[in-house]
Structure formats: structure tokens, C-alpha cells
Amino acid sequence: MANWIAQRNELLGKAVIANLAKRNMEGYYCATKEEALQKALELIPETDVVTWGGSVSIDEIGLLAAVKARNPVIDRDTASTMEEKVEMMRKGLTCDTFLMSTNAMSEDGILVNIDGNGNRVASLIFGPKQVVIIAGVNKITKDLDSAIARARGTAAPVNAQRFAGISVPCAKTGVCANCNAPDCMCCQVVVTRHSRQAGRIKIILVGENLGF
């Protein structure tokens, strides 16, 4: 059965990559976390200044540790004050490589991402020279509507539970309440349907479940 699942994941991944190309985004398929890490490091020059948005996926494949050891980085988690943290996020908008995952993506190559502060989606849209996205096949959905539903109904509640001190309805119920809470996880819902700069956005699809 494992071989059948691997075959299905590869076929699906290659179909999505073909659709990403139509949208000026580069796609790569890697069957395993280990292959994904190797491909990501091939795409990131050692001299690049690297930063990242909150992502479990980039940590799960070992990419976070690898770039911290190899590249100059902007690591907001090293900030001693909130003011310093915000300033580091601003500097991240002009880095060379921005790392992230995506909350969901449709089979026809559209990315959907939600954000509270907005720094992650801001970097996806404009600023860094390139954006490298690590996404497990579990992030792929049938269409745009189901991608938005996944981002808000699956990713947002889990993220709300992941961060201490966040008080939103979905953290308590696991269900999106379409809230306007002060700590709302879905302040920005960004749909990326095309990259004006060809190849700026690079997506590594991994044939395993990553993140949530």
C-alpha cells in the first residue's frame, strides 16, 4: 500500500508543478524530507541572507537548522524585546531568501495563506529576492474554495493552539468562527494566483505530510 500512496503523491505533485509553471512559479517534487532539504539548500546560495515565517514544515525537514548553521540569518526569535522583534521582521522584507510553507494550495497551482501580523504574507508578495516554500502533499486541495476552507478551518485553529497567549474562538473549539477577536489569526487571507516575477516563488512539494 505504501508504494501505491507514494505513486499517487508523485503523480499529484507533478500535476500541481505543471500548473505552478503556468503561473510563473517554479515547482519541484521530492519524495522525502531528506530530498526536500537537499533541494532547498541547492536553491539557496550560502551567501544569501535568510529569514523565515512561522512554519513547522521548514523545521520538520531540517531546513531551519541547516540555514542557521550555513547562512547569515535574521532570526526574530533572538530578539530581546517586541520592538526589536518587529524591526527584525521589517528587515526580513529585504532579505535574499524568505522561507515559509503554505497553508493550502489548489491542484491548479493557487496558493492560499492566512496571517495575523502580516509579515509572512508581505514577504511572499513583495520584497525578498526569492521565496522558497516547503509544502507536504497534505496541503494540496481540489480547488480554491477548498484551499481557503483548509487554511481557515484547519491551519488557523492549530496555529492558534500552537502559540501561547493567543485567545481566539477557534483555539477553543477547533472550528473557524469568522471572528474579529483582537488576536485573530486570519487578519489577512492572501490568494497568490500568479507571480509577476518568473521563478521568484519556488515551491518544493514533498511526498509526505508536513505541518498542518
Side-chain angles (χ1 to χ4, degrees):
M1 184 180 293
N3 288 338
W4 300 335
I5 294 172
Q7 183 178 11
R8 175 264 180 188
N9 288 347
E10 182 173 0
L11 291 170
L12 175 61
K14 288 181 176 180
V16 173
I17 286 168
N19 288 327
L20 287 169
K22 298 173 186 176
R23 300 179 183 279
N24 260 359
M25 293 182 272
E26 290 181 12
Y28 305 88
Y29 183 79
C30 295
T32 66
K33 298 182 183 75
E34 293 76 18
E35 291 175 19
L37 174 59
Q38 181 179 350
K39 173 53 69 175
L41 292 175
E42 288 174 7
L43 296 175
I44 305 168
E46 292 186 25
T47 55
D48 269 19
V49 176
V50 179
T51 192
W52 49 87
S55 170
V56 171
S57 299
I58 62 174
D59 199 21
E60 285 182 325
I61 71 164
L63 183 54
L64 210 53
V67 295
K68 285 181 180 179
R70 194 191 73 164
N71 288 77
V73 300
I74 301 170
D75 184 356
R76 64 185 181 182
D77 290 332
T78 62
S80 55
T81 66
M82 180 54 69
E83 290 76 15
E84 184 183 2
K85 186 173 185 177
V86 170
E87 186 58 31
M88 291 174 95
M89 287 192 283
R90 288 197 180 104
K91 287 180 180 177
L93 292 169
T94 58
C95 74
D96 298 306
T97 296
F98 187 82
L99 306 177
M100 59 180 287
S101 187
T102 187
N103 295 128
M105 63 190 307
S106 63
E107 289 180 3
D108 62 350
I110 299 174
L111 310 180
V112 175
N113 283 281
I114 55 173
D115 213 341
N117 291 321
N119 61 294
R120 185 174 68 101
V121 294
S123 294
L124 170 63
I125 293 167
F126 183 81
K129 292 179 183 176
Q130 70 168 351
V131 178
V132 176
I133 295 172
I134 309 297
V137 289
N138 54 308
K139 301 292 184 73
I140 301 172
T141 68
K142 185 65 183 173
D143 52 29
L144 176 58
D145 286 343
S146 55
I148 293 172
R150 185 190 193 284
R152 300 197 67 183
T154 299
V158 179
N159 261 319
Q161 292 162 349
R162 182 164 68 104
F163 295 116
I166 296 291
S167 179
V168 287
C170 67
K172 300 176 179 127
T173 67
V175 177
C176 178
N178 199 30
C179 75
N180 286 305
D183 291 332
C184 179
M185 304 295 293
C186 306
C187 295
Q188 289 82 31
V189 181
V190 172
V191 174
T192 304
R193 57 173 304 279
H194 195 86
S195 176
R196 179 162 286 185
Q197 293 176 259
R200 175 180 173 268
I201 298 174
K202 300 173 175 66
I203 297 98
I204 300 175
L205 278 173
V206 187
E208 302 180 22
N209 289 351
L210 295 174
F212 39 81

